[in-house]
Amino acid sequence: MAVDHEAETEARERAGRRDEAVRAAVEQGLLGPDAAVVGLLDAIGIRESATALRTAFEAVLAPGTPVLHAFAVKASPLVPVVRLLHEEGIGAEVASPGELALARAAGVPAGRTVLDSPAKTPAELREALALGVAVNADNPQELDRLDALVRSAPTRSPLGIRVNPQIGGGSIGSTSTATETSKFGVALRDEGAREWVVEAYARRPWLTRLHAHTGSQGIPLELLARGAAETYALAEEINARVGRRQIDTLDIGGGLPVNFAGEATAPTYARYARLLAERAPGLCAGRYGLVTEFGRSLLAKHGTVVARVEYAKRSGGRRIAVTHAGVQVATRTVYAPGAWPLRIAAYDAEGRPKSGPEVVQDVAGPACFSGDLLAEGRALPELAQGDHAAALDTGAYYFGHHYAYNSLARPGIYGFAPDGTGGIAFATVREPQTIAEVVAESGGAHASALTTLRAPESR
Ligand SMILES: *Cc1c(COP(=O)(O)O)cnc(C)c1O
């Protein structure tokens, strides 16, 4: 992958900050006997990615083009993260009542929020329209609901339809959204569908946006750009048909892939924006406002799971480091290791990068099934009891997405940045879950619920 010089420097500095943060987390006791696994977030890195996103599009869009970069909250559903991005000029793309509430708690105004879920209830739609949140209708039935709501009360919400250009998938099926049979949006190439979409706009002057999200990790850049180009072409067709610029804003979704194989940021936002300008010059010419919905690419590189090695053992000639990070914080990797490999870094008991000869070993998690492995057959400096193993690039869709297997508690998440005097300052992003909370969230208040249920006595 092509990597520019600036991105290389940035990557080196990011790795340096990470090493310092791991060391400081051990030193300051965030990571220790009572907290065997934590998530760390690099606040500077997150700001850098936000800046890179804004400047990449500013460089290719006609001056004055209205742009909303809406962070896909599902990638890191943490209020402080959404607030930091908001401060950096990034809005929010939400897909559930919970995500909408998180964005509001972070202070993201309705006018900078987009609602996209595939299963919006009437109540959710009513709330979104009352707030003025932008909504993309997923299908004809949802559009019927919008019709009724628009008739019943005026709204400031920009409204559009999500289409699926059906241009194909990438290397990971579960994150490919523009396949022939995807569950998302109106399938544009199905018989009569394109004409139906054009008609839908012609009949509803209040439909002013058009949305497509071609997919996430594993989608080639060219395919993402094609999705955007097809969306642009459809908007042009609709506007020509209605004889005015009814669609004024295109929402091209997110999905920039992340490099999980190395430190470098690749591809960069700059590269994607330049490709868009090449493949869809009209999209960047200033005649349409633009909405983007990036998630993983804004956060992945800035998060690290760090876990203590509880035991180092051997079994049938296999070396295994048993750590406290497994399926509960790296669910996708554990269940689909081929599609979602993670880099692992070895640190010693004091949190310093471990050196020494590399040996092939497995890095296991704490859960009670054999497949709970962060990495298999990995060459690393040999991990010993008391050392630390870090799963890198886990800032999106990992430790923010706890999976409660074995009632393992959610780890604490801490943001970090240089403290200005040569050290590292931490701030709590999410408290570690307590065991009392685990019990409470597991029906602790309803212990007798089932024993008091009885079948009606037969007469
Ligand atoms: C998940 C999702 C995104 C973000 O995808 P990333 O791969 O995290 O960038 C954007 N838009 C929609 C509609 C999504 O479902």
Side-chain angles (χ1 to χ4, degrees), residues 210-229:
L210 183 63
H211 174 226
H213 167 65
T214 299
S216 295
Q217 191 68 21
I219 304 286
L221 229 47
E222 277 290 347
L223 199 66
L224 286 179
R226 234 181 92 202

PDB file of all heavy atoms in Angstrom, residues 210-229:
ATOM      1  N   LEU A 210     -29.951  11.955  -0.776  1.00  0.00           N
ATOM      2  CA  LEU A 210     -29.838  10.599  -1.305  1.00  0.00           C
ATOM      3  C   LEU A 210     -28.645   9.943  -0.607  1.00  0.00           C
ATOM      4  O   LEU A 210     -27.578  10.561  -0.483  1.00  0.00           O
ATOM      5  CB  LEU A 210     -29.625  10.634  -2.820  1.00  0.00           C
ATOM      6  CG  LEU A 210     -29.560   9.274  -3.517  1.00  0.00           C
ATOM      7  CD1 LEU A 210     -30.883   8.510  -3.382  1.00  0.00           C
ATOM      8  CD2 LEU A 210     -29.233   9.472  -5.003  1.00  0.00           C
ATOM      9  N   HIS A 211     -28.841   8.705  -0.142  1.00  0.00           N
ATOM     10  CA  HIS A 211     -27.834   8.049   0.701  1.00  0.00           C
ATOM     11  C   HIS A 211     -27.453   6.666   0.182  1.00  0.00           C
ATOM     12  O   HIS A 211     -28.314   5.911  -0.261  1.00  0.00           O
ATOM     13  CB  HIS A 211     -28.414   7.907   2.120  1.00  0.00           C
ATOM     14  CG  HIS A 211     -27.551   7.123   3.076  1.00  0.00           C
ATOM     15  ND1 HIS A 211     -28.049   6.155   3.906  1.00  0.00           N
ATOM     16  CD2 HIS A 211     -26.225   7.180   3.337  1.00  0.00           C
ATOM     17  CE1 HIS A 211     -27.071   5.649   4.648  1.00  0.00           C
ATOM     18  NE2 HIS A 211     -25.952   6.251   4.329  1.00  0.00           N
ATOM     19  N   ALA A 212     -26.162   6.352   0.232  1.00  0.00           N
ATOM     20  CA  ALA A 212     -25.691   4.980   0.006  1.00  0.00           C
ATOM     21  C   ALA A 212     -24.446   4.769   0.861  1.00  0.00           C
ATOM     22  O   ALA A 212     -23.619   5.671   0.992  1.00  0.00           O
ATOM     23  CB  ALA A 212     -25.351   4.745  -1.455  1.00  0.00           C
ATOM     24  N   HIS A 213     -24.359   3.608   1.485  1.00  0.00           N
ATOM     25  CA  HIS A 213     -23.147   3.227   2.236  1.00  0.00           C
ATOM     26  C   HIS A 213     -22.725   1.881   1.656  1.00  0.00           C
ATOM     27  O   HIS A 213     -23.411   0.888   1.825  1.00  0.00           O
ATOM     28  CB  HIS A 213     -23.468   3.125   3.725  1.00  0.00           C
ATOM     29  CG  HIS A 213     -22.397   2.453   4.546  1.00  0.00           C
ATOM     30  ND1 HIS A 213     -21.137   2.996   4.707  1.00  0.00           N
ATOM     31  CD2 HIS A 213     -22.397   1.298   5.250  1.00  0.00           C
ATOM     32  CE1 HIS A 213     -20.422   2.179   5.476  1.00  0.00           C
ATOM     33  NE2 HIS A 213     -21.158   1.144   5.812  1.00  0.00           N
ATOM     34  N   THR A 214     -21.621   1.880   0.925  1.00  0.00           N
ATOM     35  CA  THR A 214     -21.251   0.721   0.119  1.00  0.00           C
ATOM     36  C   THR A 214     -20.661  -0.408   0.950  1.00  0.00           C
ATOM     37  O   THR A 214     -20.620  -1.554   0.509  1.00  0.00           O
ATOM     38  CB  THR A 214     -20.284   1.166  -1.005  1.00  0.00           C
ATOM     39  OG1 THR A 214     -20.977   2.108  -1.816  1.00  0.00           O
ATOM     40  CG2 THR A 214     -19.824   0.018  -1.859  1.00  0.00           C
ATOM     41  N   GLY A 215     -20.192  -0.109   2.154  1.00  0.00           N
ATOM     42  CA  GLY A 215     -19.661  -1.181   2.988  1.00  0.00           C
ATOM     43  C   GLY A 215     -18.566  -0.692   3.886  1.00  0.00           C
ATOM     44  O   GLY A 215     -18.235   0.496   3.886  1.00  0.00           O
ATOM     45  N   SER A 216     -18.001  -1.626   4.650  1.00  0.00           N
ATOM     46  CA  SER A 216     -16.977  -1.278   5.622  1.00  0.00           C
ATOM     47  C   SER A 216     -15.723  -2.111   5.355  1.00  0.00           C
ATOM     48  O   SER A 216     -15.471  -2.455   4.206  1.00  0.00           O
ATOM     49  CB  SER A 216     -17.533  -1.494   7.031  1.00  0.00           C
ATOM     50  OG  SER A 216     -18.591  -0.598   7.269  1.00  0.00           O
ATOM     51  N   GLN A 217     -14.975  -2.411   6.411  1.00  0.00           N
ATOM     52  CA  GLN A 217     -13.709  -3.131   6.272  1.00  0.00           C
ATOM     53  C   GLN A 217     -13.764  -4.205   5.183  1.00  0.00           C
ATOM     54  O   GLN A 217     -14.698  -5.004   5.138  1.00  0.00           O
ATOM     55  CB  GLN A 217     -13.340  -3.773   7.617  1.00  0.00           C
ATOM     56  CG  GLN A 217     -11.942  -4.329   7.680  1.00  0.00           C
ATOM     57  CD  GLN A 217     -10.886  -3.229   7.627  1.00  0.00           C
ATOM     58  OE1 GLN A 217     -11.177  -2.088   7.928  1.00  0.00           O
ATOM     59  NE2 GLN A 217      -9.683  -3.567   7.224  1.00  0.00           N
ATOM     60  N   GLY A 218     -12.745  -4.229   4.333  1.00  0.00           N
ATOM     61  CA  GLY A 218     -12.669  -5.257   3.306  1.00  0.00           C
ATOM     62  C   GLY A 218     -13.155  -4.787   1.949  1.00  0.00           C
ATOM     63  O   GLY A 218     -13.000  -5.497   0.951  1.00  0.00           O
ATOM     64  N   ILE A 219     -13.756  -3.602   1.887  1.00  0.00           N
ATOM     65  CA  ILE A 219     -14.235  -3.078   0.601  1.00  0.00           C
ATOM     66  C   ILE A 219     -13.091  -2.306  -0.069  1.00  0.00           C
ATOM     67  O   ILE A 219     -12.510  -1.404   0.521  1.00  0.00           O
ATOM     68  CB  ILE A 219     -15.428  -2.105   0.803  1.00  0.00           C
ATOM     69  CG1 ILE A 219     -16.566  -2.770   1.587  1.00  0.00           C
ATOM     70  CG2 ILE A 219     -15.912  -1.550  -0.520  1.00  0.00           C
ATOM     71  CD1 ILE A 219     -17.363  -3.782   0.816  1.00  0.00           C
ATOM     72  N   PRO A 220     -12.745  -2.677  -1.317  1.00  0.00           N
ATOM     73  CA  PRO A 220     -11.680  -1.935  -2.006  1.00  0.00           C
ATOM     74  C   PRO A 220     -12.094  -0.474  -2.216  1.00  0.00           C
ATOM     75  O   PRO A 220     -13.269  -0.171  -2.417  1.00  0.00           O
ATOM     76  CB  PRO A 220     -11.536  -2.649  -3.343  1.00  0.00           C
ATOM     77  CG  PRO A 220     -12.368  -3.884  -3.263  1.00  0.00           C
ATOM     78  CD  PRO A 220     -13.326  -3.739  -2.138  1.00  0.00           C
ATOM     79  N   LEU A 221     -11.099   0.404  -2.191  1.00  0.00           N
ATOM     80  CA  LEU A 221     -11.338   1.838  -2.367  1.00  0.00           C
ATOM     81  C   LEU A 221     -12.102   2.147  -3.657  1.00  0.00           C
ATOM     82  O   LEU A 221     -12.999   2.986  -3.684  1.00  0.00           O
ATOM     83  CB  LEU A 221      -9.982   2.547  -2.397  1.00  0.00           C
ATOM     84  CG  LEU A 221      -9.805   3.765  -1.502  1.00  0.00           C
ATOM     85  CD1 LEU A 221     -10.297   3.498  -0.100  1.00  0.00           C
ATOM     86  CD2 LEU A 221      -8.340   4.172  -1.482  1.00  0.00           C
ATOM     87  N   GLU A 222     -11.723   1.433  -4.719  1.00  0.00           N
ATOM     88  CA  GLU A 222     -12.374   1.666  -6.014  1.00  0.00           C
ATOM     89  C   GLU A 222     -13.884   1.417  -5.922  1.00  0.00           C
ATOM     90  O   GLU A 222     -14.681   2.118  -6.533  1.00  0.00           O
ATOM     91  CB  GLU A 222     -11.781   0.740  -7.084  1.00  0.00           C
ATOM     92  CG  GLU A 222     -10.498   1.235  -7.699  1.00  0.00           C
ATOM     93  CD  GLU A 222     -10.677   2.478  -8.601  1.00  0.00           C
ATOM     94  OE1 GLU A 222     -11.828   2.820  -8.948  1.00  0.00           O
ATOM     95  OE2 GLU A 222      -9.650   3.093  -8.924  1.00  0.00           O
ATOM     96  N   LEU A 223     -14.251   0.377  -5.157  1.00  0.00           N
ATOM     97  CA  LEU A 223     -15.669   0.034  -5.039  1.00  0.00           C
ATOM     98  C   LEU A 223     -16.406   1.108  -4.230  1.00  0.00           C
ATOM     99  O   LEU A 223     -17.539   1.489  -4.567  1.00  0.00           O
ATOM    100  CB  LEU A 223     -15.824  -1.339  -4.382  1.00  0.00           C
ATOM    101  CG  LEU A 223     -17.181  -2.027  -4.586  1.00  0.00           C
ATOM    102  CD1 LEU A 223     -17.394  -2.377  -6.054  1.00  0.00           C
ATOM    103  CD2 LEU A 223     -17.281  -3.293  -3.738  1.00  0.00           C
ATOM    104  N   LEU A 224     -15.754   1.612  -3.182  1.00  0.00           N
ATOM    105  CA  LEU A 224     -16.351   2.707  -2.403  1.00  0.00           C
ATOM    106  C   LEU A 224     -16.605   3.909  -3.303  1.00  0.00           C
ATOM    107  O   LEU A 224     -17.667   4.532  -3.262  1.00  0.00           O
ATOM    108  CB  LEU A 224     -15.425   3.131  -1.262  1.00  0.00           C
ATOM    109  CG  LEU A 224     -15.295   2.210  -0.049  1.00  0.00           C
ATOM    110  CD1 LEU A 224     -14.314   2.805   0.956  1.00  0.00           C
ATOM    111  CD2 LEU A 224     -16.640   1.974   0.616  1.00  0.00           C
ATOM    112  N   ALA A 225     -15.602   4.226  -4.117  1.00  0.00           N
ATOM    113  CA  ALA A 225     -15.726   5.391  -5.001  1.00  0.00           C
ATOM    114  C   ALA A 225     -16.828   5.164  -6.033  1.00  0.00           C
ATOM    115  O   ALA A 225     -17.573   6.093  -6.377  1.00  0.00           O
ATOM    116  CB  ALA A 225     -14.389   5.671  -5.690  1.00  0.00           C
ATOM    117  N   ARG A 226     -16.939   3.920  -6.492  1.00  0.00           N
ATOM    118  CA  ARG A 226     -17.993   3.630  -7.469  1.00  0.00           C
ATOM    119  C   ARG A 226     -19.372   3.792  -6.856  1.00  0.00           C
ATOM    120  O   ARG A 226     -20.296   4.284  -7.484  1.00  0.00           O
ATOM    121  CB  ARG A 226     -17.821   2.215  -8.031  1.00  0.00           C
ATOM    122  CG  ARG A 226     -17.773   2.214  -9.547  1.00  0.00           C
ATOM    123  CD  ARG A 226     -17.619   0.816 -10.076  1.00  0.00           C
ATOM    124  NE  ARG A 226     -18.902   0.202 -10.350  1.00  0.00           N
ATOM    125  CZ  ARG A 226     -19.092  -1.122 -10.420  1.00  0.00           C
ATOM    126  NH1 ARG A 226     -18.070  -1.929 -10.215  1.00  0.00           N
ATOM    127  NH2 ARG A 226     -20.273  -1.598 -10.702  1.00  0.00           N
ATOM    128  N   GLY A 227     -19.500   3.363  -5.600  1.00  0.00           N
ATOM    129  CA  GLY A 227     -20.763   3.541  -4.896  1.00  0.00           C
ATOM    130  C   GLY A 227     -21.145   5.012  -4.842  1.00  0.00           C
ATOM    131  O   GLY A 227     -22.305   5.383  -5.094  1.00  0.00           O
ATOM    132  N   ALA A 228     -20.175   5.857  -4.552  1.00  0.00           N
ATOM    133  CA  ALA A 228     -20.436   7.294  -4.476  1.00  0.00           C
ATOM    134  C   ALA A 228     -20.783   7.848  -5.863  1.00  0.00           C
ATOM    135  O   ALA A 228     -21.705   8.660  -6.015  1.00  0.00           O
ATOM    136  CB  ALA A 228     -19.222   8.010  -3.897  1.00  0.00           C
ATOM    137  N   ALA A 229     -20.054   7.372  -6.874  1.00  0.00           N
ATOM    138  CA  ALA A 229     -20.305   7.849  -8.242  1.00  0.00           C
ATOM    139  C   ALA A 229     -21.713   7.458  -8.701  1.00  0.00           C
ATOM    140  O   ALA A 229     -22.415   8.236  -9.359  1.00  0.00           O
ATOM    141  CB  ALA A 229     -19.251   7.291  -9.195  1.00  0.00           C
TER     142      ALA A 229
END
